[in-house]
Each structure stands twice: as structure tokens, then as C-alpha cells.
């Protein structure tokens, strides 16, 4: 399997940012790490291994990015607004700097897939819904979709509201966005086992909002033995990739 390491300075974040690329061809998949995780996490926790057949056949190519979560939503010393504004720096890095790199590297202009587990599930859904001109697909596993989880009842800050999918989707009336959501491929999955309580609640909130907006989505609740942990995510990710491949979506 082709594996590459890249590092370049991000003006938006203000430091070097690193990434790893897995595969040689196929639909670009931007992989967001879990809470406070790093770009090498997907490999370390054997997610790359679990999806190797799709990478080796050139069906998808993974672009595993770094996070700055400890400077954004996880930085309890900052105000909610400051946390959200720092997250917007990360948003700018992904969309204005990393996405052009992926376009150049892959030769693919748009139509990327966003994915991640746990907080990476939050990031993948948030980037998909905020930037449907970049992403046409999302596989969010065991995610959080309400920014109150990070900052409490602080949605009077627009920056926080604009990064809380269940809230800005509920208020979304722009047909440009709505039509792109409706034509996208949305997969939201959670287990119902240990440590999945928050994800179950957030998944139900997101499912309700998507239904109210007539946005088709595959919202999948796995069994009561399916825990919030890597062994299950290693089962879920190739399962959903196989389904998308079977449908001709990747």
C-alpha cells in the first residue's frame, strides 16, 4: 500500500500541520481524529488495516489530518466564543489549505468523503454540513452533534451556533445547502453499548432534524454489545465503505 507523510506550515493555524496519506487512487476521504487525537491515530488503531482492501484496490484514498482540539473545544480555560473562533481557524486550515492540497494531490476537484470516530464523527459531520461544496459524503461513527456538549448553554455566541450541527441545520432555509444535503450520502452510526450514551442521544437529535428537513440519511443504531471503541469502529467503517461501493457511490 502506498503511504505518504506530509508537513506544511498553516497560516490559518499558525504552525506546521502534519498528515498521512494511504492508498494510491480512488475517492478522497478526509479522516478526522478522535478527541485530541493525531494524524497517525487511524493507522495506530488499525483502521487503515481494517480498510486495506478498499485502499489497495484504489476505491478510496485516506487523507488523515491532524487536530487542534486541545486549543478549541477541549480548552476549558477559554470562553465558548474563543474556543469556537479557534475552531474556525482549523476550519480555515481544512477548507482553504488542506483541501486544495488534496485536490492537487488526488487530481479530484471536489466530492470528498468526510469521516471520523467519536469527536472525529463530530468533525466529519460538521465539515460535511458546513461545506457541501467540498464534501458529498460523510460516515460519522459515534459522534457528537450538539456543541452544548463542549460549552454548555452558550449558543448566544454565533461562532458556537455555527458549529453546532443540530442547531444550524434546524434553522437552515437556504435551498443551496438543502439540495446538496439531499443529494449527498449521509451515514450516521452509533453503537448502543458501553460509553455510547452521549452518541445515542446526539444521533437521535440529528436524525430528528434531518427528518424535519427532508434530508435522506442512513442513521444506523448497532447492538447493545457495540461499544464506543476502536474494535467496533474497525467493523463499521469497512462495512459502510462496502455498502457505498456496492451502490456505486465510491
Amino acid at each position: 500500500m502506498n503511504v505518504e507523510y506530509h508537513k506544511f506550515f498553516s497560516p490559518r493555524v499558525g504552525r506546521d500541520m502534519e498528515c498521512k496519506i494511504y492508498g494510491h487512487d480512488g475517492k478522497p476521504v478526509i479522516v478526522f481524529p478522535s478527541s485530541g487525537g493525531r494524524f497517525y491515530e487511524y493507522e495506530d488503531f488499525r483502521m487503515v488495516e481494517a480498510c486495506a482492501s478498499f485502499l489497495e484496490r484504489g476505491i478510496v484514498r485516506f487523507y488523515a489530518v491532524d487536530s487542534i482540539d486541545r486549543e478549541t473545544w477541549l480548552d476549558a480555560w477559554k470562553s465558548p466564543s474563543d474556543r469556537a473562533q479557534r475552531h474556525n481557524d482549523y476550519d480555515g486550515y481544512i477548507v482553504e489549505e488542506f483541501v486544495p492540497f488534496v485536490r492537487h494531490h488526488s487530481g479530484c476537484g471536489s466530492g470528498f468523503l468526510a469521516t471520523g470516530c467519536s469527536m472525529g464523527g463530530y468533525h466529519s459531520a460538521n465539515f460535511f454540513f458546513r461545506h457541501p461544496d467540498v464534501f458529498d459524503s460523510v460516515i460519522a461513527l459515534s459522534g457528537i452533534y450538539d456543541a452544548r456538549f463542549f460549552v454548555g448553554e452558550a449558543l448566544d455566541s454565533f461562532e458556537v451556533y455555527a458549529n453546532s450541527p443540530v442547531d444550524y441545520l434546524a434553522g437552515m432555509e437556504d435551498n443551496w445547502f438543502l439540495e446538496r444535503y439531499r443529494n449527498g450520502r449521509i451515514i450516521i452510526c452509533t453503537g448502543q453499548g458501553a460509553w455510547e450514551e452521549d452518541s445515542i442521544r446526539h444521533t437521535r437529535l440529528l436524525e430528528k432534524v434531518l427528518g424535519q428537513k427532508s434530508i435522506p440519511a442512513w442513521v444506523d443504531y448497532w447492538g447493545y454489545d457495540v461499544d464506543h471503541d476502536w474494535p467496533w469502529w474497525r467493523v463499521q467503517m469497512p462495512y459502510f465503505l462496502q455498502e457505498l461501493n456496492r451502490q456505486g457511490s465510491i
Side-chain angles (χ1 to χ4, degrees), residues 94-116:
I94 293 294
V95 175
E96 299 169 19
E97 299 169 8
F98 191 72
V99 164
F101 165 76
V102 174
R103 286 175 176 151
H104 175 76
H105 184 273
S106 67
C108 179
S110 61
F112 301 164
L113 190 156
T115 194

Side-chain angles (χ1 to χ4, degrees), residues 234-248:
R234 288 196 293 268
V235 175
Q236 291 168 350
M237 188 60 182
Y239 170 79
F240 290 118
L241 287 177
Q242 180 60 40
E243 287 301 304
L244 290 178
N245 188 42
R246 184 182 61 80
Q247 297 167 11

Side-chain angles (χ1 to χ4, degrees), residues 182-235:
R182 290 166 184 156
N183 289 317
R185 287 162 290 282
I186 302 171
I187 297 173
I188 310 293
C189 177
T190 184
Q192 298 181 80
W195 314 299
E196 287 283 42
E197 295 84 358
D198 290 321
S199 180
I200 293 168
R201 180 169 57 85
H202 284 241
T203 298
R204 287 175 177 154
L205 288 172
L206 183 60
E207 181 180 25
K208 180 179 179 181
V209 173
L210 294 174
Q212 290 170 342
K213 294 296 180 178
S214 300
I215 299 169
W218 181 1
V219 182
D220 208 357
Y221 297 88
W222 285 35
Y224 294 99
D225 60 333
V226 179
D227 302 333
H228 187 96
D229 205 355
W230 294 100
W232 280 108
W233 297 329
R234 288 196 293 268
V235 175

Side-chain angles (χ1 to χ4, degrees), residues 12 32 73 83-96 114 122-136 138 147 158-166 168-169 172 174 176-178 180-181:
R12 289 300 302 264
F32 295 94
W73 304 114
R83 285 188 250 180
Q85 288 175 357
R86 184 57 172 155
H87 171 81
N88 285 340
D89 293 336
Y90 182 66
D91 183 280
Y93 157 67
I94 293 294
V95 175
E96 299 169 19
Y122 160 76
H123 284 307
S124 62
N126 193 38
F127 275 95
F128 170 84
F129 289 120
R130 287 189 59 164
H131 303 287
D133 55 328
V134 174
F135 299 96
D136 68 4
V138 58
F158 178 77
E159 290 81 5
V160 175
Y161 168 86
N163 285 289
S164 185
V166 297
Y168 64 73
L169 288 174
M172 177 61 68
D174 189 325
W176 185 90
F177 283 90
L178 292 171
R180 280 161 178 78
Y181 300 156

Side-chain angles (χ1 to χ4, degrees), residues 33-38 41 67 69-70 74 117-120:
S34 65
S35 181
R38 300 296 309 279
E41 173 187 270
S67 78
D69 293 337
R70 300 190 189 283
L74 302 184
C117 310
S118 192
M119 194 163 182

